[in-house]
Each structure stands twice: as C-alpha cells, then as structure tokens.
Amino acid sequence: MESVDRRRRRLMQGLGVAGAATATGTWPMFGQAQTPSRGGMVRIAAPIADNLEPVTMTGSGTIAIVQQVAEYLVWAEDDLSLRPVLATEWYPEDNARIWHFKLREGVMFQDGREMTSADVVASFQRMVEPDSGSSGAAQLDFLQPNNVTAEGRYAVRFELDRPVGAFPYYTHVYNAVILPADYSGDFANNPVGTGPFRLVDYRPQEGARLERNPDYWDNPLPYLDAVELDFYDGSQPQVLAMQGGEADAMLSAGYIDIRPLFEADDIRMVAQPTSTHAQVTMRTDQKPFDDVRVRQAVALAVDRPRAIEVLLGGNASLGNDHPLAPIYPSEVNIRQRERDLNRARSLLTDAGYPNGFPIDLHVGRLAELSQYGEMLQQMLAEIGIEVDLKIEPLNVYYDHWTEVTFGVTDWASRATPGQFLNAAFRGGADWNAPKWANDRFDDVLDQFEREADETRRAALGEELASILNEEVPAVISYFKDGFRPVNKRVRDLPGNMSNFLDLTRTWVT
C-alpha cells in the first residue's frame, strides 16, 4: 500500500510540476464524476504509421491504430495496477516460472468468431518465434513458442525459461495483441480483433478511420461513434493542427514542441510522470569506452539539472544512470551522481586520454533528443571530448542503434523495470547496445525477477542500480513526464506512460 501511495504522490507532484498546463485540466484517475454521452467523433494527430502489422509494429502511430482494433490479456494502468481485459484471472506456480491465465468467455472477434485459448496461444507463438521480427520476441526472450499451451477452451499456460514474477506486465508489450489463430498477416486489409473499434479505412501516409464495434464485449462501451487518426510528419504540424482545430488531441508530445499549447484556452494538458528516458550508450567492447573510467568521466560531465530545465521545462525526475525510475515501488537510495569536471578530467587522464578524444555521437531525430545531443556536445567539450554530432532520421538511426559506438536512444516507459533491465543490460540481450556483460548483474537480475516480496525485491533493485551506476554502460540523466494535449470538449481521454491510446471510455460534449 505504501508503494501505491508513493506512486500516487509522485503522480500528483507531476501534476503540480506541470503548473498552468494542468491547473485547468483533469486527471483521469482523480477527475470529477461526469455522465458520458454516446456519439460523436474525435480526431487524433499521430506520427505517420510505418507498418500496419501487429506482430512487427514499432511506430506509435501504427500501435495507436491496432490498439483500437485488437486487445491484450491485461492493461497496465498508470498507477501500475493491472486491469483485466481478455483475461479475467491469472496466477503463478513453481516460483513464477509457470503462469496460468483464465480467459473471458463470450468475447467475439469482429468477424463473428469467438476468441478462445487457441487464438491466444497462436498469437503469442507467432510473436515469440525466433524469426518473427517482433520486438515482443526480444522483450519475452524467456518464452519459447512451444511453451505456450491451451488448458481447455478458456485458459492458457505459459511455461517460462526462468521465473518472472512480473510476467503479467509482459503480456502488455505492444505487439502482444490477440489475433485469430489463423491470422496470416496483411492487417490493413484484414483488420480483425476484439477491440472497441473496427478499422474501416486505412490510408498509408495519411490516416485511418475507425468506427464503433457494435458487438464489443464490454457493452455499452465505447461511447464514441468514430475515431479519425490523422498522420503528420513531425510534431510541429500536429501542434498547428491542434491550434487550428483540425485535431482534438495529440497522441504524444515533447515538451519543447508543445510549449505554444500550454496557454491555449481550449486545450488541457494531460501530464504524468513516466519511466521514459534517454540512454546515452557507450560500447563497452570498443575503445575508448572499454575503460570504465572513460564512461564514468562522461557521466560526470553531464549537467543533469540543466538538461531537465532547458530541455523539459523542469518536467522530469533526476536520473542516476540506471532505469529504476521513481514511479516504481522499488525505491532506490544510492548517492546521486553530480557534475564534477575536475574528477572527470582526472579519470580521463588515468585512462590514457589526458587531452580527451574525438568521437561520433549518433542521435535519432525525436522529441528533445537533438537538443540533448547538442547539450552533450557542449558539456563533453569541457573535458576534452570532441563530439561530432550525427543527428539522423529515426529510420536511419534504428537501423544501426545497437551497433554505434556512442549513441542516444529513447526508451518509452515500461510498467516494470525488469523490461528495461532485461532488454537493455542483460548480457547478450538483443537490445544491449553497450554490449555490456556482468555476471553478477545477471545473477541479481534473475533474483529480482522471481522475487515476490517487495522489501527483498527493493534491496535487489538497489543492488542492480548500484552496479549500473558504477559501471555506467549508459548515462541516464532524467525520466521525463509525458504530455497529451487534448481539446476540452473531449472527456476521459487518459494519458499513458507508454503513449498507448485507450479510447474505450472517451466521449465528447
């Protein structure tokens, strides 16, 4: 209970930090009671959908469309509670190595067939197949396809390679939507799910129209008759669409881009703390970052409070080079790293770089990251590190982000820190961009993942954070608050720590 209270306090602090932006807004968890009305439409401004394929989708625009058509077993709320969706119950055995999920009965796909365990088994097997190309496979690397099995018509058994106490949260990774067992691809022309809306029109590079599913299992939801998702190339056109009344909401927004909307009379800003952060990764298997003293020097050169103020208007929590953000119940109490240029120069000298060195820094063009790259360039110059900044389109950056020597990668918020720790820092993990390996870390991470007792889990989390803080495979300077600008005529459109879009209870005045 204390951990929930602490998260709620942090959420409320986030509202306060957002200042004028939230003073006139509402927060879905604590908002005043209102009576929804049926009908109407909302228009959402979103990034261009890159690949309308649930198994392999990665772009937020694509994910937003698919999440209206297809659903997950559970939904992770922003207070980190789990809402039953297509599963109604779940429980572990064998110290959380095996998980059983009971399915909701009578749920119909939009083609009139009932969803059963066969569909859930096929959906997970399809996602975690080694050749699936799904990011879900990388995040669920402890689940083999043959170890997902049906237990009758309405229950599924997951046998994991190792105990994972937070496994239910992993069923909410964005690729894990439940599709029919015989789904064979081409979602744009075969958009079948159990969700609250049906995809009736998809226009690549332009947008999509969704209409209310009259047979939705959670009747009388949804309230809206239709949803239009319009694609925009970049944040600025989305801001202009909000200002011109062409959009009712933005899917997500970076602080720098949406500053003009903070003072708009007809817009409220849904804001919340998240675990979203930027990892400044350093290849530990290559010079000069194969020397931990060099990585520590980089971390000591970063002025974190200044970055938070300049890039995010103060709307962020301080980072300490590990991903256990303040939103999680596993509170971390290790000494906060502060800027110390003399110590950084001394470490570089000890490592054999008294005059610094030149290095390319690769950054994807997203939100505040380009400006963060420029700040890093200036900060590192003060200790002799000459950064050649390589700001790249996202598709270019994500073609080689795990291979660059020095890079800045955006990590969207996750419901459990294990999703970051396993994917980004476990030895040999596909998304371990620093190529860092530490046997002690992996051993403690195994204990952390299977530990159910919150006190012991917090102690293990602190040890993991300490190892990362000392070894610095990545600099993590801040955890930024998320923003979702919404027109005031739109009610009950919540924010989401992962920028997921839930329009099930949304209505318009």
Side-chain angles (χ1 to χ4, degrees):
M1 181 61 73
E2 168 60 24
S3 63
V4 173
D5 288 346
R6 189 162 62 82
R7 287 197 297 272
R8 287 181 181 248
R9 285 199 296 272
R10 176 68 183 105
L11 289 166
M12 294 304 292
Q13 288 165 2
L15 291 175
V17 167
T22 56
T24 57
T26 61
W27 178 251
M29 291 172 54
F30 312 109
Q32 57 201 9
Q34 296 173 310
T35 302
S37 59
R38 183 177 297 284
M41 179 183 75
V42 296
R43 299 160 300 175
I44 309 290
I48 295 175
D50 53 352
N51 166 28
L52 199 64
E53 175 51 59
V55 179
T56 55
M57 63 183 179
T58 57
S60 59
T62 302
I63 294 168
I65 294 173
V66 172
Q67 287 178 336
Q68 312 316 308
V69 180
E71 296 178 295
Y72 302 96
L73 296 181
V74 303
W75 183 274
E77 304 285 12
D78 280 329
D79 65 353
L80 303 184
S81 62
L82 288 174
R83 184 210 316 163
V85 183
L86 296 182
T88 57
E89 301 174 28
W90 49 90
Y91 64 92
E93 65 172 318
D94 191 18
N95 293 319
R97 195 180 68 81
I98 296 173
W99 282 86
H100 303 268
F101 280 69
K102 182 179 179 181
L103 305 181
R104 191 178 301 278
E105 298 184 24
V107 176
M108 310 302 289
F109 283 111
Q110 293 160 5
D111 62 3
R113 294 183 290 174
E114 186 185 19
M115 180 209 69
T116 69
S117 55
D119 303 303
V120 176
V121 169
S123 294
F124 276 88
Q125 288 181 336
R126 188 184 298 119
M127 181 179 70
V128 301
E129 280 285 351
D131 298 329
S132 70
S134 175
S135 62
Q139 297 183 68
L140 278 73
D141 64 344
F142 46 76
L143 179 61
Q144 307 305 317
N146 291 336
N147 290 338
V148 189
T149 53
E151 293 184 316
R153 188 172 177 80
Y154 299 110
V156 175
R157 179 180 188 270
F158 296 88
E159 182 176 340
L160 314 181
D161 293 345
R162 60 175 185 271
V164 180
F167 176 68
Y169 289 100
Y170 286 85
T171 69
H172 191 219
V173 300
Y174 49 77
N175 301 109
V177 292
I178 305 305
L179 303 170
D182 60 358
Y183 174 75
S184 58
D186 194 14
F187 193 81
N189 292 307
N190 183 29
V192 179
T194 63
F197 295 94
R198 298 177 298 118
L199 178 62
V200 298
D201 183 32
Y202 173 62
R203 307 176 302 281
Q205 306 296 312
E206 295 181 13
R209 179 177 175 84
L210 301 110
E211 295 181 351
R212 181 174 180 272
N213 174 8
D215 301 317
Y216 187 52
W217 59 268
D218 200 8
N219 185 50
L221 301 176
Y223 298 118
L224 295 171
D225 284 340
V227 177
E228 288 276 357
L229 275 106
D230 296 319
F231 302 150
Y232 294 85
D233 186 11
S235 295
Q236 286 304 319
Q238 296 182 46
V239 170
L240 292 174
M242 288 293 296
Q243 292 175 317
E246 298 170 4
D248 297 310
M250 289 174 64
L251 180 61
S252 62
Y255 170 78
I256 289 178
D257 293 327
I258 62 169
R259 281 179 295 185
L261 300 181
F262 276 65
E263 303 302 325
D265 292 337
D266 59 343
I267 294 173
R268 63 187 170 89
M269 199 69 72
V270 179
Q272 67 211 64
T274 76
S275 56
T276 298
H277 62 272
Q279 291 184 12
V280 184
T281 58
M282 295 169 276
R283 286 281 296 267
T284 61
D285 61 338
Q286 293 182 356
K287 290 184 177 301
F289 299 125
D290 58 343
D291 192 317
V292 66
R293 294 170 293 188
V294 176
R295 304 196 300 270
Q296 291 171 339
V298 170
L300 286 165
V302 177
D303 188 339
R304 298 156 203 255
R306 180 166 171 249
I308 289 174
E309 189 58 39
V310 172
L311 300 174
L312 304 166
N315 299 300
S317 301
L318 201 59
N320 201 15
D321 304 325
H322 61 78
L324 285 92
I327 67 167
Y328 298 126
S330 301
E331 190 168 7
V332 175
N333 294 300
I334 61 176
R335 183 177 181 181
Q336 175 63 49
R337 177 170 276 127
E338 297 179 351
R339 196 179 202 215
D340 187 339
L341 296 181
N342 289 332
R343 175 66 178 152
R345 294 188 188 101
S346 176
L347 285 168
L348 285 181
T349 299
D350 292 345
Y353 301 97
N355 299 315
F357 52 83
I359 190 78
D360 291 344
L361 176 61
H362 297 262
V363 184
R365 188 176 292 113
L366 176 70
E368 81 285 357
L369 296 190
S370 298
Q371 292 89 343
Y372 187 32
E374 293 170 359
M375 291 189 75
L376 291 170
Q377 184 181 44
Q378 297 166 9
M379 294 171 182
L380 295 179
E382 295 184 59
I383 59 171
I385 298 177
E386 182 184 343
V387 169
D388 188 358
L389 197 55
K390 307 289 186 183
I391 296 176
E392 301 167 338
L394 280 184
N395 61 330
V396 173
Y397 180 73
Y398 283 116
D399 272 347
H400 68 158
W401 71 278
T402 58
E403 300 302 321
V404 299
T405 302
F406 198 26
V408 180
T409 302
D410 181 71
W411 281 76
S413 191
R414 305 295 204 272
T416 170
Q419 292 172 280
F420 293 124
L421 296 166
N422 279 293
F425 299 113
R426 183 181 286 277
D430 289 345
W431 291 353
N432 183 339
K435 314 299 182 191
W436 178 70
N438 183 301
D439 292 341
R440 175 60 185 161
F441 177 88
D442 290 353
D443 180 60
V444 176
L445 181 54
D446 286 341
Q447 298 176 51
F448 178 80
E449 285 283 77
R450 64 173 173 257
E451 182 57 67
D453 181 86
E454 193 164 297
T455 300
R456 290 196 292 271
R457 185 175 166 85
L460 293 166
E462 186 156 307
E463 184 171 355
L464 292 170
S466 296
I467 294 172
L468 290 172
N469 178 271
E470 176 66 24
E471 288 283 318
V472 204
V475 173
I476 298 175
S477 297
Y478 53 79
F479 300 97
K480 61 183 182 181
D481 294 344
F483 293 105
R484 179 165 283 169
V486 180
N487 188 291
K488 290 179 179 177
R489 82 180 188 91
V490 180
R491 306 296 176 88
D492 294 335
L493 199 170
N496 183 270
M497 69 168 71
S498 301
N499 286 332
F500 287 0
L501 184 63
D502 179 8
L503 298 173
T504 309
R505 293 166 178 76
T506 301
W507 56 287
V508 294
T509 60

